Amino acid sequence: MADLLERLRYTIQDILGKKSYAETQMQKYQRVVEGIQEKLKQMEDLEEVIAQIGIDYDYLELNSFSASGKLSSTYEEKESQNRAAVESIEQHYNIGVSYVKSKYQEAQNQYEYWKGEAEREDREMKVYEKQYYEELELQKRQEEARRRERENERQNRGRGRLR
């Protein structure tokens, strides 16, 4: 009987739109995965910018012979500082991206797990629901058989009195 009540409660909650724990966890990780995907798309542009800056630096350094004297030495000094700064930014960026991708994978794994749990719950509830309706049908048949028996007994008693 407790199973029957639990199944009934689950069915009512499902109809009312209330989610099970597995379904809420699945939705939570789905939102996390989608959010991380958006951030990763935004971060893709930075790689292109860094690559373009690298091309510009290479071009300017390779053609630095056109400048002369103090201007040339100041440019080379500032350029080496800028290059070091950009390389540092790129290194931090790559570390950040790899960290975000690892967290993305964890969130994706959690989402897949909870999605499977929610699907398993739904499959189990369908089995429980089928069992519930089979039990109801069996009870109806038994009740109908008892009713027929009582009716037959009454008819038999009525025939016995008539004789």
Side-chain angles (χ1 to χ4, degrees):
M1 188 65 173
D3 283 344
L4 180 62
L5 291 175
E6 181 62 27
R7 285 180 262 156
L8 186 59
R9 182 187 66 79
Y10 181 85
T11 303
I12 290 170
Q13 284 182 338
D14 202 32
I15 290 169
L16 294 175
K18 294 183 179 177
K19 304 294 181 194
S20 70
Y21 181 72
E23 290 171 326
T24 57
Q25 289 296 97
M26 177 187 74
Q27 287 177 340
K28 177 176 102 176
Y29 283 104
Q30 183 179 19
R31 285 192 301 271
V32 169
V33 165
E34 290 169 356
I36 291 175
Q37 284 174 338
E38 287 178 26
K39 296 299 180 191
L40 285 174
K41 284 179 186 173
Q42 293 172 355
M43 296 171 91
E44 288 173 358
D45 295 342
L46 187 58
E47 286 183 18
E48 293 174 14
V49 169
I50 288 174
Q52 185 60 46
I53 290 172
I55 291 169
D56 292 345
Y57 283 163
D58 289 341
Y59 180 76
L60 289 172
E61 285 177 1
L62 293 173
N63 292 319
S64 62
F65 59 86
S66 61
S68 61
K70 183 156 177 74
L71 181 62
S72 178
S73 63
T74 303
Y75 166 76
E76 288 173 3
E77 179 185 329
K78 295 294 181 186
E79 200 55 41
S80 66
Q81 291 172 358
N82 288 342
R83 181 176 283 281
V86 169
E87 287 172 355
S88 175
I89 289 171
E90 183 179 11
Q91 186 179 31
H92 283 78
Y93 167 78
N94 288 332
I95 291 169
V97 167
S98 65
Y99 175 77
V100 169
K101 285 182 179 178
S102 71
K103 290 300 178 185
Y104 169 75
Q105 189 60 44
E106 288 176 30
Q108 183 71 29
N109 291 341
Q110 286 293 322
Y111 167 72
E112 293 297 328
Y113 170 78
W114 288 110
K115 181 180 176 187
E117 284 296 303
E119 289 171 355
R120 182 190 57 76
E121 280 181 354
D122 286 342
R123 283 192 307 272
E124 286 177 2
M125 287 316 297
K126 285 179 183 174
V127 169
Y128 290 148
E129 196 173 274
K130 182 181 175 190
Q131 290 172 351
Y132 169 73
Y133 287 117
E134 287 173 355
E135 288 173 19
L136 279 180
E137 188 63 33
L138 179 62
Q139 287 175 358
K140 284 180 186 177
R141 279 190 252 130
Q142 289 172 347
E143 189 62 36
E144 183 66 27
R146 281 189 223 122
R147 188 187 59 75
R148 283 189 203 137
E149 251 180 56
R150 280 184 253 138
E151 195 175 299
N152 286 340
E153 285 176 11
R154 274 188 240 135
Q155 286 176 356
N156 289 338
R157 278 189 237 147
R159 285 185 197 154
R161 289 183 188 158
L162 291 176
R163 289 184 189 175

